[in-house]
């Protein structure tokens, strides 16, 4: 079925490249072929879609320029620094596979940014992300209800989110997006279905037994309430659903979460602290970092307080710091701050226009999603997880749309004739 869907979509992708961007996000985020069997499990669907998109852009009569914005400039600077710093890696002969994987993600992020421009494109992208991750969340929530929360929820194998912690954070990221989509659904049954899916995803996130996800969930829910348009309804949902979800969890879940207060004696927590100290010491010794391949006994023996306790970074911040040094971390943090400010600009300039209410709500919910990722990512090695980069693209596109709307309004106010996008030409009298 997946093979037929992908191959059947290629002619449409060639005609409308932005549909290819949606297909790419679906394949890369959801990895639906991992749920199948036979040749489809290892077939390079992603490469096939990417090649079709590039050919469609090359042969199209329309121009698809790279967005010109300070945020995109910082993004390119971060990618360039990763490539440059890799030349000075501790194990230069081992960084190739991971560098190629990261460049593929970053390259397709640029392609998505070139193609996603209109409101329809942005909302399709949000829907694609929500469906791709929400599928596992709804399935995991139902599984949790059936099992009474006795077992952990895991993500699809061989993907960024295959672990229980990673799956939990991905679900936290999409919950605000699901809340936004529920506000756009007109049918009552559709709105209720989306809210039910949201509740199941929240339950599945809790059933991952991830302590970092609990911290991120608290931060996300608080900020979701602050950013929501209807604080009364949102507050009621939180007050009603959170206690019910906690009542469904078994005793061992509470025992697991309670170890947050006793991290000094928890081996997993101490291993993370040891990995963070290693990354900090490495960055101080090597300004360009150690490259992608630094999680081995040799590097830990040189920089870690406990040399024998070898762990992954378990933090997006210390992951970037150890691999790309202080400059890399600075660019990564600057990219996140500028994405946040882009959303704040959109809210500030669009909130007085009723026709742009959707853009205000979307920008706020993307901010909530990114906050959840920023908090939960402090405990996970997900610096190159592609969904936050797609949300960055959505935020840039929103700002571009609002800025273009402002220009058109100013031209109309000056008595200039303009034809709005997606409207047919007709009689337009100057204001």
């Amino acid at each position: 079925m997946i093979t037929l869907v992908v191959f059947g979509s290629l002619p449409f992708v060639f005609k409308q490249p932005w549909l290819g961007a949606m297909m790419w996000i679906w394949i890369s985020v959801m990895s639906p072929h991992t749920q199948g069997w036979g040749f489809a499990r290892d077939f390079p669907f992603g490469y096939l879609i990417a090649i079709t998109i590039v050919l469609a852009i090359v042969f199209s009569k329309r121009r698809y320029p790279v967005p010109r914005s300070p945020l995109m400039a910082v993004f390119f600077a971060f990618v360039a620094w990763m490539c440059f710093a890799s030349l000075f890696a501790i194990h230069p002969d081992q960084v190739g596979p991971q560098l190629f994987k990261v460049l593929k993600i970053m390259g397709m992020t640029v392609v998505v940014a070139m193609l996603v421009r209109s409101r329809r494109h942005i909302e399709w992208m949000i829907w694609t992300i929500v469906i791709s991750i929400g599928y596992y969340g709804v399935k995991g929530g139902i599984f949790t209800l059936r099992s009474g929360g006795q077992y952990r929820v895991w993500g699809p194998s061989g993907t960024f989110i295959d672990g229980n912690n990673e799956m939990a954070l991905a679900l936290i990221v999409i919950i605000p997006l699901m809340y936004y989509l529920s506000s756009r659904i007109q049918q009552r049954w559709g709105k209720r279905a989306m809210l039910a899916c949201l509740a199941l995803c929240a339950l599945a996130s809790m059933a991952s037994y991830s302590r970092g996800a609990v911290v991120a969930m608290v931060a996300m829910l608080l900020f979701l309430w602050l950013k929501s348009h209807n604080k009364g309804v949102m507050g009621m949902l939180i007050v009603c659903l959170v206690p019910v979800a906690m009542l469904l969890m078994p005793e061992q879940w509470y025992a697991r979460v309670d170890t947050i207060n006793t991290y000094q004696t928890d081996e997993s927590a101490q291993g993370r602290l040891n990995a963070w100290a290693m990354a900090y010491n490495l960055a101080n010794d090597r300004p360009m970092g150690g490259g992608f391949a630094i999680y081995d006994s040799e590097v830990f023996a040189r920089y870690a307080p406990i040399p024998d306790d070898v762990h992954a970074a378990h933090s997006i911040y210390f992951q970037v710091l150890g691999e790309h040094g202080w400059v890399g971390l600075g660019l990564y943090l600057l990219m996140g701050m500028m994405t946040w400010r882009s959303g704040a600009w959109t809210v500030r300039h669009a909130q007085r226009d009723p026709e742009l209410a959707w853009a205000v709500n979307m920008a706020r919910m993307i901010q909530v999603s990114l906050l959840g990722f920023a908090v939960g990512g402090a405990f996970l090695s997900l610096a190159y997880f592609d969904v936050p980069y797609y949300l960055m693209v959505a935020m840039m596109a929103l700002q571009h749309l609002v800025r273009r709307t402002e220009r058109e309004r100013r031209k109309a106010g000056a008595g200039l004739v303009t034809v709005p996008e997606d409207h047919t030409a007709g009689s337009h009298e100057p204001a």
Side-chain angles (χ1 to χ4, degrees), residues 171-186:
L171 293 173
I172 288 173
V173 168
I174 69 165
I175 285 175
L177 305 180
M178 299 176 80
Y179 182 70
Y180 164 77
L181 292 177
S182 69
S183 68
R184 307 306 304 171
I185 299 175
Q186 300 299 323

mmCIF file of all heavy atoms in Angstrom, residues 171-186:
data_model
loop_
_atom_site.group_PDB
_atom_site.id
_atom_site.type_symbol
_atom_site.label_atom_id
_atom_site.label_comp_id
_atom_site.label_asym_id
_atom_site.label_seq_id
_atom_site.Cartn_x
_atom_site.Cartn_y
_atom_site.Cartn_z
ATOM 1 N N LEU A 171 5.583 13.445 20.952
ATOM 2 C CA LEU A 171 4.151 13.614 21.216
ATOM 3 C C LEU A 171 3.872 14.940 21.908
ATOM 4 O O LEU A 171 2.869 15.606 21.624
ATOM 5 C CB LEU A 171 3.638 12.450 22.067
ATOM 6 C CG LEU A 171 3.637 11.080 21.382
ATOM 7 C CD1 LEU A 171 3.273 9.976 22.372
ATOM 8 C CD2 LEU A 171 2.669 11.066 20.207
ATOM 9 N N ILE A 172 4.756 15.342 22.809
ATOM 10 C CA ILE A 172 4.588 16.631 23.476
ATOM 11 C C ILE A 172 4.660 17.766 22.465
ATOM 12 O O ILE A 172 3.921 18.759 22.557
ATOM 13 C CB ILE A 172 5.655 16.789 24.580
ATOM 14 C CG1 ILE A 172 5.327 15.863 25.754
ATOM 15 C CG2 ILE A 172 5.759 18.233 25.056
ATOM 16 C CD1 ILE A 172 6.393 15.811 26.812
ATOM 17 N N VAL A 173 5.537 17.619 21.478
ATOM 18 C CA VAL A 173 5.686 18.657 20.460
ATOM 19 C C VAL A 173 4.407 18.831 19.646
ATOM 20 O O VAL A 173 4.030 19.960 19.288
ATOM 21 C CB VAL A 173 6.883 18.343 19.542
ATOM 22 C CG1 VAL A 173 6.885 19.230 18.304
ATOM 23 C CG2 VAL A 173 8.198 18.509 20.303
ATOM 24 N N ILE A 174 3.711 17.745 19.340
ATOM 25 C CA ILE A 174 2.541 17.869 18.458
ATOM 26 C C ILE A 174 1.250 18.193 19.203
ATOM 27 O O ILE A 174 0.266 18.583 18.569
ATOM 28 C CB ILE A 174 2.326 16.590 17.619
ATOM 29 C CG1 ILE A 174 1.884 15.413 18.501
ATOM 30 C CG2 ILE A 174 3.556 16.253 16.804
ATOM 31 C CD1 ILE A 174 1.306 14.256 17.716
ATOM 32 N N ILE A 175 1.223 18.059 20.504
ATOM 33 C CA ILE A 175 -0.025 18.331 21.243
ATOM 34 C C ILE A 175 -0.513 19.763 21.026
ATOM 35 O O ILE A 175 -1.700 19.980 20.737
ATOM 36 C CB ILE A 175 0.159 18.010 22.746
ATOM 37 C CG1 ILE A 175 0.145 16.480 22.943
ATOM 38 C CG2 ILE A 175 -0.941 18.650 23.596
ATOM 39 C CD1 ILE A 175 0.447 16.035 24.359
ATOM 40 N N PRO A 176 0.341 20.787 21.124
ATOM 41 C CA PRO A 176 -0.160 22.148 20.822
ATOM 42 C C PRO A 176 -0.620 22.304 19.375
ATOM 43 O O PRO A 176 -1.565 23.055 19.104
ATOM 44 C CB PRO A 176 1.053 23.042 21.111
ATOM 45 C CG PRO A 176 1.917 22.239 22.036
ATOM 46 C CD PRO A 176 1.728 20.822 21.611
ATOM 47 N N LEU A 177 0.031 21.604 18.453
ATOM 48 C CA LEU A 177 -0.379 21.667 17.055
ATOM 49 C C LEU A 177 -1.756 21.031 16.871
ATOM 50 O O LEU A 177 -2.575 21.513 16.067
ATOM 51 C CB LEU A 177 0.650 20.969 16.167
ATOM 52 C CG LEU A 177 2.097 21.451 16.287
ATOM 53 C CD1 LEU A 177 3.000 20.663 15.355
ATOM 54 C CD2 LEU A 177 2.191 22.941 15.996
ATOM 55 N N MET A 178 -2.015 19.965 17.595
ATOM 56 C CA MET A 178 -3.337 19.337 17.540
ATOM 57 C C MET A 178 -4.402 20.275 18.111
ATOM 58 O O MET A 178 -5.532 20.346 17.603
ATOM 59 C CB MET A 178 -3.318 18.012 18.310
ATOM 60 C CG MET A 178 -2.348 16.986 17.748
ATOM 61 S SD MET A 178 -2.262 15.474 18.740
ATOM 62 C CE MET A 178 -3.721 14.622 18.181
ATOM 63 N N TYR A 179 -4.045 21.001 19.142
ATOM 64 C CA TYR A 179 -4.989 21.960 19.723
ATOM 65 C C TYR A 179 -5.304 23.062 18.715
ATOM 66 O O TYR A 179 -6.466 23.498 18.590
ATOM 67 C CB TYR A 179 -4.386 22.566 20.995
ATOM 68 C CG TYR A 179 -5.304 23.542 21.690
ATOM 69 C CD1 TYR A 179 -6.452 23.110 22.343
ATOM 70 C CD2 TYR A 179 -5.021 24.900 21.695
ATOM 71 C CE1 TYR A 179 -7.300 24.009 22.990
ATOM 72 C CE2 TYR A 179 -5.857 25.813 22.324
ATOM 73 C CZ TYR A 179 -6.993 25.359 22.966
ATOM 74 O OH TYR A 179 -7.822 26.253 23.591
ATOM 75 N N TYR A 180 -4.292 23.518 17.965
ATOM 76 C CA TYR A 180 -4.538 24.518 16.933
ATOM 77 C C TYR A 180 -5.465 23.958 15.854
ATOM 78 O O TYR A 180 -6.426 24.628 15.444
ATOM 79 C CB TYR A 180 -3.223 24.964 16.296
ATOM 80 C CG TYR A 180 -3.433 25.685 14.982
ATOM 81 C CD1 TYR A 180 -3.867 27.004 14.948
ATOM 82 C CD2 TYR A 180 -3.242 25.022 13.761
ATOM 83 C CE1 TYR A 180 -4.095 27.657 13.752
ATOM 84 C CE2 TYR A 180 -3.471 25.676 12.556
ATOM 85 C CZ TYR A 180 -3.897 26.980 12.557
ATOM 86 O OH TYR A 180 -4.140 27.620 11.364
ATOM 87 N N LEU A 181 -5.196 22.743 15.390
ATOM 88 C CA LEU A 181 -6.013 22.160 14.328
ATOM 89 C C LEU A 181 -7.453 21.958 14.774
ATOM 90 O O LEU A 181 -8.386 22.080 13.971
ATOM 91 C CB LEU A 181 -5.402 20.836 13.874
ATOM 92 C CG LEU A 181 -4.054 20.923 13.141
ATOM 93 C CD1 LEU A 181 -3.539 19.535 12.809
ATOM 94 C CD2 LEU A 181 -4.184 21.764 11.874
ATOM 95 N N SER A 182 -7.636 21.642 16.053
ATOM 96 C CA SER A 182 -9.007 21.462 16.547
ATOM 97 C C SER A 182 -9.805 22.762 16.429
ATOM 98 O O SER A 182 -11.021 22.738 16.217
ATOM 99 C CB SER A 182 -8.988 20.986 18.003
ATOM 100 O OG SER A 182 -8.521 22.007 18.872
ATOM 101 N N SER A 183 -9.124 23.902 16.555
ATOM 102 C CA SER A 183 -9.814 25.187 16.426
ATOM 103 C C SER A 183 -10.167 25.504 14.979
ATOM 104 O O SER A 183 -11.017 26.362 14.717
ATOM 105 C CB SER A 183 -8.943 26.307 17.001
ATOM 106 O OG SER A 183 -7.786 26.520 16.204
ATOM 107 N N ARG A 184 -9.500 24.837 14.027
ATOM 108 C CA ARG A 184 -9.766 25.091 12.610
ATOM 109 C C ARG A 184 -10.820 24.150 12.041
ATOM 110 O O ARG A 184 -11.310 24.375 10.931
ATOM 111 C CB ARG A 184 -8.474 24.935 11.794
ATOM 112 C CG ARG A 184 -7.281 25.754 12.279
ATOM 113 C CD ARG A 184 -7.609 27.220 12.395
ATOM 114 N NE ARG A 184 -8.114 27.777 11.155
ATOM 115 C CZ ARG A 184 -8.634 28.987 11.042
ATOM 116 N NH1 ARG A 184 -8.753 29.747 12.115
ATOM 117 N NH2 ARG A 184 -9.056 29.435 9.879
ATOM 118 N N ILE A 185 -11.157 23.087 12.761
ATOM 119 C CA ILE A 185 -12.148 22.125 12.284
ATOM 120 C C ILE A 185 -13.547 22.658 12.569
ATOM 121 O O ILE A 185 -13.861 23.027 13.706
ATOM 122 C CB ILE A 185 -11.938 20.754 12.958
ATOM 123 C CG1 ILE A 185 -10.548 20.195 12.616
ATOM 124 C CG2 ILE A 185 -13.017 19.769 12.526
ATOM 125 C CD1 ILE A 185 -10.208 18.913 13.340
ATOM 126 N N GLN A 186 -14.375 22.699 11.549
ATOM 127 C CA GLN A 186 -15.712 23.273 11.683
ATOM 128 C C GLN A 186 -16.717 22.271 12.244
ATOM 129 O O GLN A 186 -17.581 22.630 13.042
ATOM 130 C CB GLN A 186 -16.198 23.794 10.317
ATOM 131 C CG GLN A 186 -15.308 24.867 9.712
ATOM 132 C CD GLN A 186 -15.222 26.098 10.579
ATOM 133 O OE1 GLN A 186 -16.202 26.504 11.210
ATOM 134 N NE2 GLN A 186 -14.040 26.708 10.632
#
